Amino acid sequence: NAGVTQTPKFQVLKTGQSMTLQCAQDMNHNSMYWYRQDPGMGLRLIYYSASEGTTDKGEVPNGYNVSRLNKREFSLRLESAAPSQTSVYFCASSDPRVETQYFGPGTRLLVL
Amino acid sequence: GENVEQHPSTLSVQEGDSAVIKCTYSDSASNYFPWYKQELGKRPQLIIDIRSNVGEKKDQRIAVTLNKTAKHFSLHITETQPEDSAVYFCAASNGPGGYNKLIFGAGTRLAVHP
């Protein structure tokens, strides 16, 4: 049982490049989330998916898109990366019966 | 929308002392309040949570208290140990159930000195 996994672990992009961050969970959770973590600002919700087939904006959705590919997978896409998107990105999932969110190991993204 | 403020931003204690971290929230509809611990370079991990129908919850050396009237909640760590050194985040949510849009505080960096 791997829990929540994320790929890649680390990525360097140039301004304007695009990329997709992948997230998968094997806990049969309905809900999945994408956060970004910046120094001194805690974690901020980018997008979430309450259940398979639905996605909604969080606090800071601008510049991102998401896809809930199936119950296990939730991807985050940066269409045209900007230096302001340099951050650590965490994916999380939760079960509707238990509100605890379980986090993945994170993806460290540097946009030059 | 919800806003969560967390204090202090840094906290330094001697091993064996107690540590208290406080958070306030703005949305009176919030009903779920988790605390996460994040060690350097690692993912956040839940250490304790409390729901709005409970005033206090304890798990060994950690406890959380909630004052709904004042809209604040606190994390208490007793008999601190060096391995308690980490960044601690509080969060609040008023999810309708099934999922939670957690709003996090900015974090408290706790250092426990031997």
Side-chain angles (χ1 to χ4, degrees):
Chain A
N1 191 345
V4 181
T5 57
Q6 293 182 235
T7 55
K9 286 187 170 60
F10 179 72
Q11 184 73 46
V12 179
L13 291 178
K14 295 181 179 178
T15 297
Q17 288 185 316
S18 62
M19 80 162 294
T20 299
L21 281 64
Q22 306 286 355
C23 174
Q25 52 91 11
D26 62 2
M27 296 178 282
N28 200 36
H29 286 170
N30 284 351
S31 303
M32 298 185 74
Y33 315 81
W34 275 105
Y35 293 90
R36 61 177 288 173
Q37 184 174 35
D38 302 297
M41 298 188 72
L43 294 109
R44 292 182 292 169
L45 183 64
I46 305 171
Y47 270 93
Y48 67 99
S49 172
S51 60
E52 187 178 355
T54 69
T55 61
D56 278 293
K57 296 177 180 179
E59 297 175 83
V60 288
N62 291 347
Y64 305 95
N65 283 302
V66 291
S67 294
R68 184 73 183 267
L69 305 170
N70 48 54
K71 191 171 185 179
R72 289 188 64 249
E73 299 171 289
F74 188 38
S75 63
L76 179 72
R77 182 160 178 84
L78 287 71
E79 291 291 351
S80 178
S84 60
Q85 294 178 305
T86 292
S87 189
V88 180
Y89 291 85
F90 287 100
C91 177
S93 69
S94 68
D95 185 300
R97 297 165 298 174
V98 179
E99 291 164 291
T100 304
Q101 290 190 20
Y102 296 89
F103 284 81
T107 293
R108 193 172 297 271
L109 177 66
L110 175 62
V111 183
L112 302 175
Chain B
E2 175 66 280
N3 182 53
V4 176
E5 294 191 356
Q6 183 172 348
H7 299 281
S9 57
T10 60
L11 182 58
S12 182
V13 300
Q14 290 296 124
E15 183 177 0
D17 288 350
S18 295
V20 180
I21 302 170
K22 299 181 179 181
C23 290
T24 60
Y25 61 98
S26 60
D27 188 348
S28 56
S30 288
N31 54 19
Y32 175 62
F33 307 92
W35 286 88
Y36 283 83
K37 175 183 180 182
Q38 187 178 30
E39 296 175 350
L40 190 61
K42 300 293 178 85
R43 72 190 78 188
Q45 292 196 300
L46 181 77
I47 55 171
I48 196 167
D49 58 10
I50 192 167
R51 288 164 177 79
S52 58
N53 58 348
V54 175
E56 183 174 358
K57 184 177 179 181
K58 190 173 182 180
D59 183 3
Q60 299 181 354
R61 294 187 298 108
I62 60 173
V64 58
T65 57
L66 171 65
N67 183 327
K68 285 191 66 180
T69 303
K71 291 190 282 188
H72 66 71
F73 56 113
S74 300
L75 177 71
H76 305 253
I77 306 174
T78 58
E79 300 172 23
T80 54
Q81 301 167 3
E83 51 265 40
D84 293 330
S85 296
V87 179
Y88 291 81
F89 293 97
C90 63
S93 166
N94 62 354
Y99 66 93
N100 281 301
K101 291 171 62 177
L102 290 176
I103 304 299
F104 283 84
T108 296
R109 185 174 300 277
L110 174 64
V112 181
H113 302 286

